[in-house]
Amino acid sequence: MKLAVVDYGSGNLRSAAKAFEHAANGAIDVIVTADADVVRKADRIVLPGQGAFGDCAAGLRAVPGMVEALEDAVLKRGAPFLGICVGMQLLAATGYEHGVHAGLGWLGGEVRRMTPADPALKLPQLGWNALDFAAHPLLAGWPAGAHVYFANSYHYAPADPATAIAHADYGGRIVAAVARANVAGTQFHPEKSQAIGLRLVSNFLAWRP
Protein backbone atom coordinates (compact mmCIF):
# COMPACT_ATOMS: atom_id res chain seq x y z
CA MET A 1 0.00 0.00 0.00
CA LYS A 2 1.25 3.48 -0.88
CA LEU A 3 0.38 6.78 0.80
CA ALA A 4 1.22 9.97 -1.10
CA VAL A 5 1.97 13.18 0.82
CA VAL A 6 1.48 15.87 -1.82
CA ASP A 7 4.43 18.24 -2.24
CA TYR A 8 3.32 21.54 -3.77
CA GLY A 9 5.66 23.93 -1.99
CA SER A 10 3.43 24.55 1.02
CA GLY A 11 5.97 23.48 3.65
CA ASN A 12 5.28 21.28 6.66
CA LEU A 13 5.78 18.13 4.59
CA ARG A 14 8.46 16.26 6.52
CA SER A 15 6.78 16.48 9.91
CA ALA A 16 3.50 15.27 8.43
CA ALA A 17 5.20 12.44 6.56
CA LYS A 18 7.10 11.39 9.70
CA ALA A 19 3.86 11.03 11.64
CA PHE A 20 2.43 8.72 8.98
CA GLU A 21 5.69 6.76 8.74
CA HIS A 22 5.68 6.28 12.51
CA ALA A 23 2.06 5.11 12.57
CA ALA A 24 2.53 2.85 9.54
CA ASN A 25 5.56 1.13 11.12
CA GLY A 26 6.72 -0.09 7.72
CA ALA A 27 3.37 -1.55 6.68
CA ILE A 28 2.65 1.32 4.28
CA ASP A 29 5.04 3.07 1.89
CA VAL A 30 4.85 6.82 2.65
CA ILE A 31 6.00 8.93 -0.32
CA VAL A 32 6.44 12.71 -0.35
CA THR A 33 5.89 13.59 -4.01
CA ALA A 34 5.17 16.33 -6.53
CA ASP A 35 4.61 13.69 -9.25
CA ALA A 36 0.98 13.74 -10.36
CA ASP A 37 1.18 10.16 -11.66
CA VAL A 38 2.32 8.89 -8.25
CA VAL A 39 -0.57 10.70 -6.58
CA ARG A 40 -3.05 9.39 -9.15
CA LYS A 41 -2.08 5.79 -8.32
CA ALA A 42 -1.71 6.15 -4.54
CA ASP A 43 -3.91 4.13 -2.18
CA ARG A 44 -4.23 7.05 0.26
CA ILE A 45 -3.49 10.74 -0.11
CA VAL A 46 -2.52 13.44 2.40
CA LEU A 47 -2.56 17.13 1.48
CA PRO A 48 -0.73 19.21 4.10
CA GLY A 49 -0.78 22.99 3.98
CA GLN A 50 0.47 26.01 5.82
CA GLY A 51 0.50 29.69 4.96
CA ALA A 52 -2.11 31.69 3.08
CA PHE A 53 -5.06 30.05 1.31
CA GLY A 54 -4.42 31.78 -2.02
CA ASP A 55 -0.73 30.88 -2.05
CA CYS A 56 -1.50 27.23 -1.32
CA ALA A 57 -4.23 27.09 -3.98
CA ALA A 58 -1.89 28.65 -6.54
CA GLY A 59 0.95 26.36 -5.55
CA LEU A 60 -1.21 23.27 -5.97
CA ARG A 61 -2.44 24.36 -9.39
CA ALA A 62 1.12 25.17 -10.46
CA VAL A 63 2.18 21.50 -10.19
CA PRO A 64 1.52 20.02 -13.65
CA GLY A 65 -1.50 17.69 -13.62
CA MET A 66 -1.78 17.60 -9.82
CA VAL A 67 -5.35 18.84 -9.41
CA GLU A 68 -6.52 16.45 -12.13
CA ALA A 69 -4.62 13.59 -10.47
CA LEU A 70 -6.24 14.36 -7.12
CA GLU A 71 -9.69 14.43 -8.71
CA ASP A 72 -9.05 11.12 -10.49
CA ALA A 73 -7.77 9.40 -7.36
CA VAL A 74 -10.12 10.85 -4.75
CA LEU A 75 -13.36 11.79 -6.49
CA LYS A 76 -13.44 9.12 -9.19
CA ARG A 77 -11.54 6.17 -7.69
CA GLY A 78 -12.43 6.83 -4.04
CA ALA A 79 -8.95 6.87 -2.48
CA PRO A 80 -9.12 8.03 1.17
CA PHE A 81 -8.00 11.67 1.41
CA LEU A 82 -6.92 13.78 4.38
CA GLY A 83 -6.30 17.53 4.15
CA ILE A 84 -4.35 19.13 7.02
CA CYS A 85 -4.73 22.80 8.04
CA VAL A 86 -4.82 24.77 4.76
CA GLY A 87 -5.04 21.38 3.05
CA MET A 88 -8.47 21.04 4.66
CA GLN A 89 -9.40 24.63 3.83
CA LEU A 90 -8.74 23.94 0.14
CA LEU A 91 -11.82 21.69 0.18
CA ALA A 92 -13.81 24.95 0.16
CA ALA A 93 -15.12 26.62 -2.97
CA THR A 94 -13.74 30.03 -1.99
CA GLY A 95 -11.18 31.50 0.40
CA TYR A 96 -11.07 35.14 1.46
CA GLU A 97 -7.51 35.43 2.77
CA HIS A 98 -5.83 38.45 1.13
CA GLY A 99 -8.36 38.54 -1.70
CA VAL A 100 -10.80 36.07 -3.20
CA HIS A 101 -9.39 32.71 -4.25
CA ALA A 102 -10.89 29.50 -5.65
CA GLY A 103 -10.37 26.28 -3.73
CA LEU A 104 -10.91 22.72 -4.91
CA GLY A 105 -14.60 23.00 -4.08
CA TRP A 106 -14.98 19.34 -3.08
CA LEU A 107 -17.06 20.16 0.01
CA GLY A 108 -18.02 23.71 -0.97
CA GLY A 109 -18.36 26.55 1.49
CA GLU A 110 -15.97 29.34 2.41
CA VAL A 111 -12.81 30.08 4.38
CA ARG A 112 -13.06 33.38 6.28
CA ARG A 113 -11.03 35.22 8.90
CA MET A 114 -11.78 34.24 12.47
CA THR A 115 -13.50 36.90 14.59
CA PRO A 116 -13.22 35.86 18.26
CA ALA A 117 -15.94 37.39 20.45
CA ASP A 118 -13.36 37.91 23.20
CA PRO A 119 -10.95 40.71 22.15
CA ALA A 120 -8.31 39.22 24.46
CA LEU A 121 -8.03 36.23 22.12
CA LYS A 122 -5.31 36.98 19.60
CA LEU A 123 -4.87 35.73 16.05
CA PRO A 124 -3.51 33.43 14.94
CA GLN A 125 -5.03 30.84 17.23
CA LEU A 126 -1.77 29.23 18.22
CA GLY A 127 -1.62 26.30 20.60
CA TRP A 128 -3.79 23.64 22.20
CA ASN A 129 -7.58 23.63 22.25
CA ALA A 130 -10.21 21.11 23.35
CA LEU A 131 -12.54 19.53 20.83
CA ASP A 132 -16.21 18.66 20.80
CA PHE A 133 -16.53 15.82 18.31
CA ALA A 134 -18.99 13.35 16.82
CA ALA A 135 -18.58 9.61 16.40
CA HIS A 136 -16.50 8.92 13.31
CA PRO A 137 -13.95 6.22 12.42
CA LEU A 138 -11.18 8.82 12.10
CA LEU A 139 -11.78 9.94 15.69
CA ALA A 140 -12.18 6.49 17.21
CA GLY A 141 -10.47 6.00 20.55
CA TRP A 142 -10.35 9.67 21.46
CA PRO A 143 -11.19 10.66 25.05
CA ALA A 144 -13.85 13.28 25.68
CA GLY A 145 -12.44 16.80 25.45
CA ALA A 146 -9.38 15.70 23.50
CA HIS A 147 -6.88 18.53 23.00
CA VAL A 148 -5.13 19.17 19.68
CA TYR A 149 -2.74 21.77 18.28
CA PHE A 150 -3.94 24.66 16.10
CA ALA A 151 -2.13 27.40 14.15
CA ASN A 152 -4.66 29.40 12.14
CA SER A 153 -6.29 32.80 11.68
CA TYR A 154 -8.93 31.63 9.19
CA HIS A 155 -11.64 29.02 9.58
CA TYR A 156 -13.59 26.79 7.21
CA ALA A 157 -17.38 26.85 6.99
CA PRO A 158 -18.34 23.90 4.74
CA ALA A 159 -21.45 24.15 2.57
CA ASP A 160 -23.13 21.33 4.51
CA PRO A 161 -22.68 21.78 8.28
CA ALA A 162 -23.28 18.03 8.70
CA THR A 163 -19.84 17.37 7.22
CA ALA A 164 -18.23 18.94 10.32
CA ILE A 165 -17.27 16.11 12.69
CA ALA A 166 -15.34 18.17 15.26
CA HIS A 167 -15.44 21.72 16.58
CA ALA A 168 -13.29 23.90 18.82
CA ASP A 169 -14.14 27.10 20.65
CA TYR A 170 -11.96 30.16 20.19
CA GLY A 171 -14.20 33.08 21.03
CA GLY A 172 -16.83 31.23 19.00
CA ARG A 173 -17.39 27.81 17.51
CA ILE A 174 -15.06 26.87 14.63
CA VAL A 175 -14.90 23.72 12.52
CA ALA A 176 -11.93 21.59 13.52
CA ALA A 177 -12.48 18.54 11.28
CA VAL A 178 -14.69 17.55 8.35
CA ALA A 179 -15.54 14.29 6.61
CA ARG A 180 -17.81 13.13 3.81
CA ALA A 181 -17.46 9.76 2.12
CA ASN A 182 -13.70 9.26 1.49
CA VAL A 183 -12.78 12.95 1.90
CA ALA A 184 -11.69 14.31 5.29
CA GLY A 185 -9.72 17.19 6.72
CA THR A 186 -8.45 18.65 9.98
CA GLN A 187 -7.91 22.31 10.79
CA PHE A 188 -5.54 21.26 13.57
CA HIS A 189 -2.18 19.59 13.03
CA PRO A 190 -2.28 15.86 13.86
CA GLU A 191 1.51 15.65 13.52
CA LYS A 192 1.87 18.22 16.33
CA SER A 193 -0.93 16.85 18.53
CA GLN A 194 1.02 14.09 20.26
CA ALA A 195 -0.86 10.87 21.13
CA ILE A 196 -4.27 12.21 20.03
CA GLY A 197 -2.91 13.23 16.66
CA LEU A 198 -1.10 9.94 16.13
CA ARG A 199 -4.32 8.09 16.90
CA LEU A 200 -6.07 10.00 14.12
CA VAL A 201 -3.17 9.23 11.77
CA SER A 202 -3.44 5.52 12.62
CA ASN A 203 -7.20 5.66 12.16
CA PHE A 204 -6.73 7.22 8.72
CA LEU A 205 -4.34 4.46 7.67
CA ALA A 206 -6.98 1.88 8.62
CA TRP A 207 -9.99 3.84 7.33
CA ARG A 208 -12.26 2.04 4.87
CA PRO A 209 -14.85 4.66 3.85
Side-chain angles (χ1 to χ4, degrees), residues 120-201:
L121 294 174
K122 305 301 182 184
L123 293 178
Q125 174 188 203
L126 191 63
W128 296 83
N129 204 334
L131 294 184
D132 170 24
F133 56 93
H136 189 277
L138 289 177
L139 313 182
W142 277 14
H147 283 65
V148 293
Y149 188 87
F150 288 85
N152 61 297
S153 298
Y154 285 72
H155 71 105
Y156 178 31
D160 179 3
T163 59
I165 59 171
H167 294 84
D169 189 288
Y170 194 76
R173 191 168 164 86
I174 64 165
V175 172
V178 295
R180 185 180 71 190
N182 59 309
V183 174
T186 64
Q187 182 61 68
F188 58 89
H189 288 271
E191 76 280 6
K192 297 180 181 178
S193 297
Q194 299 181 0
I196 292 294
L198 285 176
R199 182 59 188 262
L200 181 142
V201 167

Side-chain angles (χ1 to χ4, degrees), residues 4-32:
V5 179
V6 181
D7 180 0
Y8 61 107
S10 76
N12 194 39
L13 297 173
R14 262 329 305 166
S15 59
K18 277 187 171 181
F20 285 91
E21 289 167 355
H22 176 78
N25 196 27
I28 294 175
D29 191 7
V30 178
I31 306 167
V32 177

Side-chain angles (χ1 to χ4, degrees), residues 75-127:
L75 302 185
K76 296 177 182 177
R77 183 163 55 82
F81 171 93
L82 180 68
I84 297 174
C85 196
V86 183
M88 179 190 90
Q89 294 181 358
L90 289 174
L91 297 173
T94 310
Y96 293 95
E97 187 171 3
H98 310 310
V100 181
H101 309 279
L104 294 171
W106 293 357
L107 297 185
E110 299 178 340
V111 174
R112 293 188 174 275
R113 187 169 175 84
M114 295 166 63
T115 54
D118 182 353
L121 294 174
K122 305 301 182 184
L123 293 178
Q125 174 188 203
L126 191 63

Side-chain angles (χ1 to χ4, degrees), residues 6-10 52-64 66-67 90:
V6 181
D7 180 0
Y8 61 107
S10 76
F53 182 100
D55 292 342
C56 287
L60 189 61
R61 290 189 170 95
V63 181
M66 186 59 77
V67 170
L90 289 174

